[in-house]
Amino acid sequence: MVDDSNVGQKMYQLADTLFPICRSITGDGVRETLKVVEQHIPITVHEVKTGTQVFDWTVPKEWNINDAYIIDPQGNKIVDFKENNLHVLNYSAPIHKKLSLEELKQNLYSLPDHPEWIPYRTSYYQEKWGFCLTHNQLLALEDGEYEVVIDSSLIDGHLSYGEYFIQGESDEEVLFSCHICHPSLCNDNLSGIALMVYLAQALSKQKLKYSYRFLFIPGTIGSITWLSQNEKTAKRIKHGLVVVCVGDPGPFTYKRSRQSDAMIDRITLNVLETSGAPYEVIDFYPYGYDERQFCSPGFNLAVGSLSRTTHGCYPEYHTSADNMSFIDIDSWAESLQTYLSIVNVLEYDKKFINVKPMCEPQLGKRGLYDATGGTHANDKNFQMALLWILNLSDGSNSLLDISERSSIPFSTLKMAAEALLKTDLLEVFAIEQGKA
Ligand code: ZN
């Protein structure tokens, strides 16, 4: 657990700092974002050159932008990048010219169904220019001569990404990955970045069995680049989650890994199921976020994705309405706790052995069945957890197995196991015992 009731507020503040930055898959907006992340956790920033071959892809030209706007026939600035960075088609090529309304309209994007929102559009791999505006703005445009200015550059440079690694006892790794390539969008992008920062901070203070790797990367090209340059490291990744859309108030959605019944799938679903809150589970499909790359057949890593309302399933998705007010701080903090609960299972799941298996042992005389009020005496779940652990700890079931069978939260079983370990009833199951 994060022992910090303000962590939701802290994630909000971090996202609020990052919100105005114009990010893309490359460029100074990504670097600025990583600099802010670096103030919270000591990430390493990697720079990969334009033109670098990464499997079937090539690291693109670096995009930067200073300004972009449209001047209407009356000389007014009407669609201004400086007011909202979504106004420019992300990765727009530079342009400065005068043109008719008809010609201009071929390069404009709006949302007729949500006439007050600005859409988020990109054109990374096809050189284009364009503006995004509200549909009401579009309808108000009058005939005449317009002037468009996009002061951007597309030149040889680098793709930047951030990486943070925590060495645990084992070299086996757990991966958390989020995309950092969206401009002023909150749930899709910033909610994941902020959650990963505070997850990493919390884990950096713990003694850990696994090693943990956190990737702050541009979507698609970032994970392809990382995988192409870290094929050997990728083999050490045993479990992973893509962190995305974790700040809205909707119920959780878990997208299974391509393996579909990997340990991370079981653990995430167990944590969601025993939390009692509603959730949805969807099977892996080859679309979405970077799980597409981690789960490509050549890697087939056990990487799922835990979101709240997932991409495309909320109308605000990829629009100016996915802003800081779309986020619910309590839900966001609950998302972080859920990720920590998953780590807790990964770290602590093990088998125990009941060393007095002939009938039920008497718990009362060991202070574990205290009707007059011990620490957990009134917790019926805790009493049941003791009985389940004693019954199923024959060397074939781990605490996760017991949680799945009993529907008791893993955290309660862990407390019960720790209480039993202090008595003469339970021991950690050693593999040698299995061979006897
Ligand atoms: Zn997106």
Side-chain angles (χ1 to χ4, degrees):
M1 299 288 277
V2 170
D3 192 19
D4 182 352
S5 54
N6 288 326
V7 75
Q9 203 62 48
K10 286 180 178 172
M11 288 193 290
Y12 184 92
Q13 277 159 9
L14 171 56
D16 201 36
T17 306
L18 295 173
F19 189 77
I21 301 172
C22 182
R23 278 164 292 271
S24 187
I25 54 171
T26 63
D28 290 334
V30 178
R31 292 189 189 95
E32 207 184 320
T33 299
L34 294 172
K35 272 209 180 88
V36 175
V37 169
E38 214 175 347
Q39 290 164 9
H40 298 266
I41 50 171
I43 53 168
T44 304
V45 175
H46 301 268
E47 298 277 351
V48 183
K49 263 193 182 154
T50 297
T52 305
Q53 198 64 30
V54 289
F55 296 123
D56 203 38
W57 297 60
T58 308
V59 172
K61 286 180 179 170
E62 181 178 323
W63 184 70
N64 283 293
I65 180 159
N66 296 313
D67 206 357
Y69 51 85
I70 301 173
I71 305 279
D72 74 7
Q74 286 75 42
N76 305 309
K77 216 182 244 193
I78 50 165
V79 177
D80 189 352
F81 166 80
K82 288 195 167 150
E83 269 176 28
N84 192 321
N85 59 37
L86 296 176
H87 273 317
V88 71
L89 174 75
N90 199 283
Y91 244 69
S92 267
I95 189 159
H96 184 180
K97 72 175 206 178
K98 291 188 172 165
L99 71 189
S100 67
L101 176 60
E102 207 176 316
E103 210 184 330
L104 174 65
K105 274 185 170 171
Q106 288 165 15
N107 296 277
L108 298 182
Y109 305 87
S110 72
L111 296 166
D113 291 344
H114 296 284
E116 289 296 325
W117 299 352
I118 307 164
Y120 162 56
R121 295 280 186 277
T122 66
S123 185
Y124 302 135
Y125 303 103
Q126 193 192 351
E127 235 176 77
K128 274 167 97 169
W129 67 270
F131 285 90
C132 303
L133 69 176
T134 71
H135 198 61
N136 287 341
Q137 273 179 307
L138 180 77
L139 293 176
L141 298 180
E142 290 169 8
D143 266 337
E145 191 186 54
Y146 287 81
E147 183 181 353
V148 291
V149 175
I150 298 180
D151 178 11
S152 65
S153 60
L154 269 171
I155 51 168
D156 284 354
H158 293 84
L159 174 148
S160 322
Y161 70 88
E163 187 168 27
Y164 177 50
F165 181 71
I166 307 174
Q167 178 70 52
E169 272 170 52
S170 159
D171 287 336
E172 291 194 339
E173 293 187 12
V174 180
L175 173 75
F176 292 104
S177 176
C178 69
H179 62 285
I180 55 162
C181 51
H182 291 25
S184 294
L185 294 169
C186 192
N187 198 37
D188 181 8
N189 181 127
L190 296 180
S191 72
I193 299 175
L195 185 147
M196 263 181 40
V197 163
Y198 284 94
L199 177 65
Q201 264 193 9
L203 296 189
S204 69
K205 293 172 193 146
Q206 293 180 22
K207 190 173 178 299
L208 296 162
K209 179 171 86 177
Y210 285 107
S211 294
Y212 287 80
R213 188 173 299 276
F214 299 83
L215 294 179
F216 298 85
I217 50 178
T220 307
I221 189 69
S223 51
I224 292 171
T225 299
W226 187 87
L227 285 163
S228 132
Q229 303 199 331
N230 293 276
E231 272 190 69
K232 253 175 109 178
T233 306
K235 289 198 169 68
R236 296 202 293 268
I237 295 171
K238 302 300 170 194
H239 319 279
L241 288 172
V242 169
V243 185
V244 63
C245 298
V246 285
D248 67 277
F252 285 106
T253 305
Y254 180 62
K255 177 180 176 182
R256 290 178 184 272
S257 72
R258 179 178 182 269
Q259 297 179 24
S260 139
D261 58 352
M263 192 51 92
I264 193 68
D265 300 312
R266 278 183 64 197
I267 291 175
T268 306
L269 291 172
N270 171 261
V271 166
L272 293 174
E273 179 65 30
T274 58
S275 75
Y279 69 93
E280 210 189 312
V281 54
I282 49 181
D283 282 332
F284 175 80
Y285 62 101
Y287 195 71
Y289 295 95
D290 286 315
E291 67 278 5
R292 291 156 70 168
Q293 315 309 332
F294 299 122
C295 295
S296 57
F299 287 97
N300 197 24
L301 299 178
V303 175
S305 181
L306 178 59
S307 317
R308 298 191 79 102
T309 310
T310 191
H311 61 92
C313 295
Y314 53 101
E316 295 84 355
Y317 170 75
H318 279 192
T319 77
S320 55
D322 182 358
N323 55 32
M324 294 306 295
S325 59
F326 180 61
I327 286 294
D328 178 65
I329 289 180
D330 292 339
S331 305
W332 204 354
E334 186 192 32
S335 298
L336 174 58
Q337 292 300 351
T338 304
Y339 272 86
L340 283 160
S341 299
I342 291 164
V343 169
N344 187 42
V345 181
L346 275 168
E347 285 290 315
Y348 195 81
D349 187 38
K350 55 177 90 119
K351 290 175 182 176
F352 297 93
I353 187 100
N354 174 353
V355 291
K356 292 200 191 312
M358 314 304 269
C359 296
E360 287 184 4
Q362 204 180 345
L363 297 179
K365 68 181 185 192
R366 294 176 176 87
L368 290 172
Y369 211 86
D370 184 2
T372 58
T375 330
H376 305 290
N378 296 324
D379 186 344
K380 222 175 147 206
N381 247 0
F382 182 79
Q383 297 294 341
M384 286 308 296
L386 296 171
L387 297 174
W388 274 107
I389 291 169
L390 288 169
N391 188 283
L392 290 182
S393 291
D394 56 3
S396 58
N397 298 298
S398 73
L399 274 198
L400 176 62
D401 296 315
I402 299 172
S403 179
E404 286 176 339
R405 196 151 162 192
S406 67
S407 301
I408 295 174
F410 186 92
S411 53
T412 307
L413 288 165
K414 182 183 166 190
M415 278 194 297
E418 280 166 352
L420 285 166
L421 284 172
K422 290 181 187 145
T423 71
D424 57 344
L425 298 177
L426 195 74
E427 287 174 6
V428 174
F429 180 72
I431 292 170
E432 302 78 62
Q433 281 172 298
K435 289 180 190 152

